[in-house]
Amino acid sequence: MRILTKQWYQTMQDSGLGVCLEVDERAAEFSEDIYQTLRTQKLAQWLRDREEVCEVLEEPFDPAAEERSFDAFCAGELETYRTRTPESILAKVADLRVLAVGYCTGEVFWDLEHYAQQCREQTERTMDEAWERMKGSADAFTGEHSLHDSVVLSMKREGEDLLIEFERDEVDWPEIRAIRFRDAEILKQEQSVENAWWLYDEIWQTEEGYEVHALLWRENDVFELTVGCRGTQIVWTVSRTE
């Protein structure tokens, strides 16, 4: 990727840091009792919410299983805050476990809000730049026919062409079944693309045709695919005239 890089994607994810936090000034102190009290408080809220969801869906409610899910969620939150929060903010956190269960001081809350806003602004500027640079490409399949959040079913050779097939959840226009890359060459492939989510793409004109750069996601890992080709063709599940 030239503009919508993995670093850009992570910045976009960082724009959500602190979004569900609640201010509690007890978070200013490192204390096992405070942590256990706040964990119990948040767990009770989690169980109430999950029980309501199960009632609506007419599913059995298993408190023990839900508590395990809560602990797994908090473990993920702890790792996210530990690895993604700026050091200047982390230095103000007395107990990272308390942050992971959803509580912080007012100072930490506003610091995270300011940082997240910076990430949002940077993400939007970069997205605007990418769109401006690519919108003139006559062969682009981005924009109106975005592949965002499609799942890659397969990638296979058909003669000199490369065919990538997708599973999509779209109802507003005929679904894209696949993209055919004519006279294609794989220039970069960091992982197998099968069963990965197609996040974002860029298409750039070259002397030989085009380069299509894609950012994909699978199992908490973001990776790239780059294909050089003479052109691209959308393969629809139904005729566009139907």
Side-chain angles (χ1 to χ4, degrees):
M1 303 292 281
R2 300 186 185 181
I3 299 179
L4 305 181
T5 63
K6 285 185 277 188
Q7 182 179 359
W8 166 82
Y9 180 76
Q10 187 57 67
T11 299
M12 181 171 61
Q13 300 308 299
D14 289 350
S15 67
L17 279 177
V19 68
C20 294
L21 289 175
E22 297 180 41
V23 173
D24 192 312
E25 293 305 329
R26 288 176 292 179
E29 179 183 352
F30 183 91
S31 164
E32 186 65 27
D33 288 341
I34 290 175
Y35 164 67
Q36 291 297 339
T37 297
L38 293 176
R39 179 190 177 279
T40 299
Q41 184 174 305
K42 185 63 71 170
L43 174 60
Q45 179 182 326
W46 175 284
L47 293 176
R48 287 193 301 270
D49 292 343
R50 289 302 304 160
E51 186 172 17
E52 290 178 2
V53 170
C54 288
E55 288 178 358
V56 171
L57 299 177
E58 298 182 346
E59 296 178 349
F61 174 64
D62 185 341
E66 292 298 342
E67 183 169 357
R68 290 192 294 272
S69 296
F70 172 77
D71 287 337
F73 171 79
C74 291
E77 289 290 279
L78 190 149
E79 183 64 14
T80 296
Y81 282 118
R82 185 185 68 81
T83 57
R84 301 305 310 174
T85 305
E87 288 294 333
S88 59
I89 302 177
L90 275 182
K92 301 176 182 180
V93 177
D95 189 340
L96 195 56
R97 298 175 302 168
V98 170
L99 189 64
V101 298
Y103 297 97
C104 65
T105 63
E107 182 179 13
V108 170
F109 180 89
W110 291 113
D111 283 351
L112 280 172
E113 174 62 26
H114 178 65
Y115 174 67
Q117 180 61 32
Q118 289 180 319
C119 291
R120 285 190 287 271
E121 292 172 357
Q122 182 179 341
T123 297
E124 291 168 3
R125 284 196 302 269
T126 303
M127 180 68 84
D128 290 343
E129 177 188 355
W131 178 247
E132 284 297 318
R133 291 195 179 191
M134 292 185 295
K135 68 180 182 181
S137 175
D139 205 59
F141 54 80
T142 55
E144 180 185 355
H145 305 307
S146 171
L147 296 171
H148 181 65
D149 278 355
S150 299
V151 177
V152 178
L153 295 179
S154 67
M155 182 171 71
K156 56 188 177 184
R157 281 283 181 186
E158 292 190 349
E160 296 300 316
D161 295 351
L162 186 70
L163 188 73
I164 300 182
E165 296 182 297
F166 298 93
E167 179 180 50
R168 290 166 55 81
D169 184 20
E170 300 288 354
V171 296
D172 295 331
W173 58 75
E175 294 186 2
I176 298 173
R177 182 177 69 81
I179 299 293
R180 180 179 298 279
F181 300 84
R182 299 191 301 273
D183 297 328
E185 176 186 5
I186 296 176
L187 303 177
K188 182 178 184 179
Q189 183 179 356
E190 295 181 332
Q191 294 187 28
S192 169
V193 301
E194 282 77 9
N195 300 315
W197 291 83
W198 186 285
L199 298 178
Y200 297 96
D201 50 64
E202 305 172 5
I203 186 164
W204 299 89
Q205 195 156 6
T206 66
E207 292 183 359
E208 295 77 21
Y210 298 90
E211 280 187 11
V212 177
H213 299 245
L215 201 63
L216 300 100
W217 178 93
R218 181 178 50 238
E219 297 178 354
N220 296 321
D221 194 14
V222 178
F223 60 98
E224 294 184 23
L225 170 72
T226 304
V227 178
C229 60
R230 292 290 181 184
T232 65
Q233 176 186 359
I234 296 176
V235 181
W236 303 88
T237 57
V238 294
S239 170
R240 298 187 67 188
T241 60
E242 292 183 13

